[in-house]
Amino acid sequence: MAGEESRLRITKSDGVTRVEFLDRNILDEANIQKIGEEISNIVDEDDRPRLLISFANVDHLSSAALGTLITINNKVKNRGGQLRLSNIDPQIHEVFVITRLVNLFEIHEDAEQALASFS
Amino acid sequence: MAEPTHSPQHFRAELPRDTGEIQRFTGEVIEAAERMGYAKAARFAVRLAFEEAVSNAFKHGHAGLDRSLTLLVEAEVAPDRIRLVVEDRGPGFDPGAIADPTLDENLDKPSGRGLMLIRAYMTRVEFNEAGNRIEMLYRPTGEQA
């Protein structure tokens, strides 16, 4: 349930659900768990979900946030869907490089590129 | 705009499992680093390492223990170094026993990245013998501070 306290902006067009974060820091575990549940519910809504998560405006994230993204990615794959990430700040992108998660996720420079990549 | 200061600044607190308190302490350390002239990349590294250490201490160090237990945290911000200490009240752990999260077979596992990120961003990381106290040292390179 998105509800009043949602820290996400969710829009849907052309069969792709686009998720953006309202917070600059994605660090707090309780908040991360809530975000994870909310996105997970979105994934459950479609048989072959096509999901774009944009990190525009996000300055910091924690390993717990990475864990939540991995869980979402696993869930999307299990449902035969596609997940794309975009608009990642260079310093946060370095975190994806250090953890080798650039090999797990399909990351695009901006939302337009990411949207064009869905098959 | 505050004038840059070069006198080492010390911070010490008993940190409860409270997001506001954690962010307040972290913010004070990061602001001190900014006043000391540390660049954005350095502040990003210090914040990330400290937050991961605190998160690990509560989540793993205090697993199964009283949620009211606090952490002892310390920080020293000086022009040539930032030293961070996080000590929990748990029995400790063996940092050598953590699986490498960057191996292909572990890439899709959602946990186990905190310590490797701390090691990647800090100049030196040490544990006490019990494994319930982590000391992290950040030394700036020419471009970072």
Side-chain angles (χ1 to χ4, degrees), chain A residues 27-29 59-63 67 70-71 74 89 91-92 94-95 98-101 103-104, chain B residues 19 40-41 44 47-48 51-52 55 59 102-104 107-110 113-114 116-117 120-121:
Chain A
L27 297 166
D28 172 32
E29 293 228 14
D59 290 336
H60 285 276
L61 54 71
S62 63
S63 65
I70 291 165
T71 301
N74 292 341
D89 172 271
Q91 283 181 331
I92 294 180
E94 193 185 348
V95 173
I98 289 169
T99 53
R100 289 191 67 234
L101 289 176
N103 296 346
L104 188 72
Chain B
T19 303
K40 190 182 170 197
F44 178 90
R47 179 190 285 271
L48 184 143
E51 296 264 7
E52 294 293 342
S55 174
K59 190 173 180 182
T102 64
L103 295 177
D104 283 345
L107 271 189
D108 64 353
K109 291 182 180 161
R113 288 175 181 78
M116 76 89 57
L117 282 173
Y121 279 96

Side-chain angles (χ1 to χ4, degrees), chain B residues 71-124:
Chain B
L71 305 177
L72 175 61
V73 294
E74 293 176 45
E76 178 192 5
V77 181
D80 64 338
R81 68 189 180 280
I82 296 178
R83 194 179 68 92
L84 306 162
V85 176
V86 176
E87 181 174 338
D88 66 57
R89 263 72 181 187
F93 79 115
D94 176 8
I98 305 287
D100 182 351
T102 64
L103 295 177
D104 283 345
E105 61 264 36
N106 294 332
L107 271 189
D108 64 353
K109 291 182 180 161
S111 61
R113 288 175 181 78
L115 184 53
M116 76 89 57
L117 282 173
I118 292 171
R119 287 196 161 120
Y121 279 96
M122 293 290 103
T123 310
R124 198 176 73 208

Side-chain angles (χ1 to χ4, degrees), chain A residues 69-79, chain B residues 108-110:
Chain A
L69 282 176
I70 291 165
T71 301
I72 291 164
N73 186 50
N74 292 341
K75 189 163 187 171
V76 169
K77 278 186 178 170
N78 287 341
R79 294 182 70 84
Chain B
D108 64 353
K109 291 182 180 161

Side-chain angles (χ1 to χ4, degrees), chain A residues 21 23-26 54-61 89 92:
Chain A
F21 298 96
D23 297 316
R24 301 189 79 82
N25 298 335
I26 310 175
S54 165
F55 288 81
N57 300 320
V58 176
D59 290 336
H60 285 276
L61 54 71
D89 172 271
I92 294 180

Side-chain angles (χ1 to χ4, degrees), chain B residues 53-76:
Chain B
V54 167
S55 174
N56 276 346
F58 279 126
K59 190 173 180 182
H60 303 297
H62 287 182
L65 302 179
D66 187 340
R67 288 182 66 86
S68 68
L69 283 176
T70 58
L71 305 177
L72 175 61
V73 294
E74 293 176 45
E76 178 192 5

